[in-house]
Amino acid sequence: MDIREANLTDALLEKLIALSANWEAENSTYGYRRNERSDIVGSRIFLAEQEGEILGYLLGQEAKAERASSVMADGTPYFEVEELYVVPECRGQGVGSALFRFVEQKLKGTESAYILLSTATKDYKKILHFYIDELGMDFWSARLFKKL
């Protein structure tokens, strides 16, 4: 498996939109909708590939905290992971971990002091295990809902 940062091309854009359409069809995340061009343009793109096939991708952007929080002060630079997707047949094989760790290594020594992400997955136990236990992230907050 090869992990790399990629520049956006029309061909890559088509592939990423198709993968996000598959993710939407899985119905595994509350409110997820397939990407459009505007959702991808401007993001850093990281790919996990094998023999030219995309096994997973990570999209993200650098930002600065706009409000002080219990975790970071105003103006703190961070990297926001917007999407981390692995094709279903490759889940549990280390693809997502490899993508995240690659990004983490690329960000070390840069301005970014944190990596942040939010999730709206329907399988919160599995995803929290992945991010906290496997990747060493810390839990910050949760927003819960109950339909009446």
Side-chain angles (χ1 to χ4, degrees):
M1 175 174 54
D2 297 315
I3 309 285
R4 67 182 176 95
E5 186 167 4
N7 292 317
L8 188 60
T9 64
D10 288 338
L12 178 56
L13 181 64
E14 284 183 34
K15 289 178 184 179
L16 293 174
I17 288 173
L19 288 168
S20 75
N22 292 344
W23 191 358
E24 177 185 47
E26 286 180 39
N27 195 28
S28 61
T29 304
Y30 294 105
Y32 185 81
R33 61 155 180 79
R34 76 188 73 200
N35 286 320
E36 296 176 2
R37 178 181 179 80
S38 61
D39 297 313
I40 298 171
V41 170
S43 294
R44 291 180 70 178
I45 303 166
F46 299 89
L47 303 175
E49 299 172 301
Q50 190 161 33
E51 297 177 13
E53 292 295 314
I54 298 175
L55 307 179
Y57 67 84
L58 186 151
L59 304 177
Q61 293 189 22
E62 286 90 0
K64 291 192 183 219
E66 294 182 10
R67 291 188 318 198
S69 70
S70 59
V71 173
M72 64 181 119
D74 275 352
T76 302
Y78 65 93
F79 183 82
E80 181 76 34
V81 174
E82 296 163 337
E83 293 187 7
L84 173 53
Y85 178 74
V86 175
V87 296
E89 57 273 16
C90 293
R91 292 181 188 152
Q93 298 176 20
V95 175
S97 295
L99 273 166
F100 187 92
R101 292 187 195 294
F102 181 85
V103 170
E104 190 175 14
Q105 286 304 309
K106 290 279 280 188
L107 294 172
K108 286 190 177 183
T110 69
E111 209 177 68
S112 293
Y114 295 90
I115 296 176
L116 300 180
L117 64 84
S118 297
T119 182
T121 184
K122 293 179 180 178
D123 190 352
Y124 72 90
K125 290 179 184 176
K126 187 175 181 180
I127 207 70
L128 289 178
H129 168 73
F130 173 69
Y131 287 120
I132 294 171
D133 298 332
E134 291 184 28
L135 295 179
M137 295 189 84
D138 288 317
F139 188 87
W140 182 359
S141 67
R143 184 173 181 122
L144 307 174
F145 71 93
K146 183 176 183 179
K147 189 170 182 174
L148 299 177

